[in-house]
Amino acid sequence: MFEIQNLKYKDILDINILELESGKVFCLFGESGSGKSTLLKIFNGMLTPDEGVVRYKKEKITQLDPVELRKEVVMLGQDPVVFEGTVRDNLLAGLRFSGENEVTDQEMSSLLKELHLEKELDEDATKLSGGEQQRLAFGRVLLMNANVYLMDEPTSALDEGTETVVMDYFTKNIKKQNKTVIMVTHSKEISEKYSDRIIYMDEILTKVGVHHE
C-alpha cells in the first residue's frame, strides 16, 4: 500500500525503508516529537519530503492529484474539524467532498448510536463538547468508506469506556471491509489491543526495524 525509500524531512524524519501492506491496522508508536504525525501528513500528501520517495499503490505520492489522494486516504487529526451547521451537515461533509452518494438519516442516526453520541441530526454541531466533536468527526470519516484511514490520536478526548466502544466498533468494521488504518497513539494499551503491527519510531528512524505483534 505504502512504500518509503530514503525519506528525509527536515530534522524530524530519516527513514531508509518502510513498507506498509494493505488490509491491516498499523500503529505508529513513539515519544512526542518522534515524527509520528509528520509521517501521517506525508502519507496524506499534506507534507512533501525533502528527499526520498513515498509511494501509494506503487505510484509516487508527489505525482498524484492531492484531492484524489485524500478521497482514498482520509485523515482524522488530533483536533477534530467541525464545520458550521448541524450534526447532519458534518456527517455528510466527507461524502460531499469525495463525491459519494449521501446516506439516509436512519443510517446516520444508527452510526451516532454506535459511537455513543446521542445527538439529534438537526442539532448545532459547534455546540458539542470536545469529546462529542471527536466522535462526530470519527463518524464523518467512517462514512467516506475510504481505502486508508490515517488517525492521529483519534480518541484523545474520550474517557476510557467510550474510547473502548468507539475503537471496538471502528476496528471491527475496518477489518470486515479489509481497509487499512495507520494510527498514531501514545497509549501502549491501545496499540497492543487494536493493531496488527506496531511500528516503533525510534527503530525506523535509525535503520530498518519494525516490530511485529
Side-chain angles (χ1 to χ4, degrees), residues 62-95:
T62 52
Q63 296 177 354
L64 297 174
D65 181 313
V67 174
E68 293 303 314
L69 174 65
R70 288 167 198 156
K71 290 178 182 179
E72 292 192 25
V73 183
V74 174
M75 184 160 181
L76 179 61
Q78 265 188 54
D79 299 313
V81 175
V82 174
F83 306 104
E84 286 190 15
T86 63
V87 168
R88 180 189 292 103
D89 293 331
N90 274 265
L91 287 174
L92 294 175
L95 291 172

Side-chain angles (χ1 to χ4, degrees), residues 17 24 52 63 66 70 108 158 192:
I17 189 167
K24 291 191 175 181
Q63 296 177 354
R70 288 167 198 156
M108 286 185 279
L158 306 183
E192 291 178 344

Side-chain angles (χ1 to χ4, degrees), residues 81-93 96 120-128 133 136 140:
V81 175
V82 174
F83 306 104
E84 286 190 15
T86 63
V87 168
R88 180 189 292 103
D89 293 331
N90 274 265
L91 287 174
L92 294 175
R96 289 167 178 166
E120 298 297 328
L121 294 174
D122 290 325
E123 288 192 48
D124 185 348
T126 61
K127 293 182 178 178
L128 301 181
Q133 290 184 351
L136 181 61
R140 180 172 62 238

Side-chain angles (χ1 to χ4, degrees), residues 164-182:
T164 298
V165 168
V166 170
M167 287 303 299
D168 283 352
Y169 175 73
F170 174 64
T171 52
K172 176 184 174 184
N173 279 272
I174 288 303
K175 290 178 180 295
K176 188 187 297 182
Q177 299 175 56
N178 200 36
K179 305 291 188 179
T180 304
V181 179
I182 306 173

Side-chain angles (χ1 to χ4, degrees), residues 18-20 26-30 36 39 182 195 197-204 209-211:
L18 179 66
E19 293 187 17
L20 304 180
F26 299 92
C27 182
L28 304 181
F29 188 80
K36 303 183 299 295
L39 185 54
I182 306 173
S195 66
R197 180 174 161 192
I198 300 176
I199 299 170
Y200 292 97
M201 296 301 293
D202 61 347
E203 294 180 357
I204 66 169
V210 176
H211 178 79

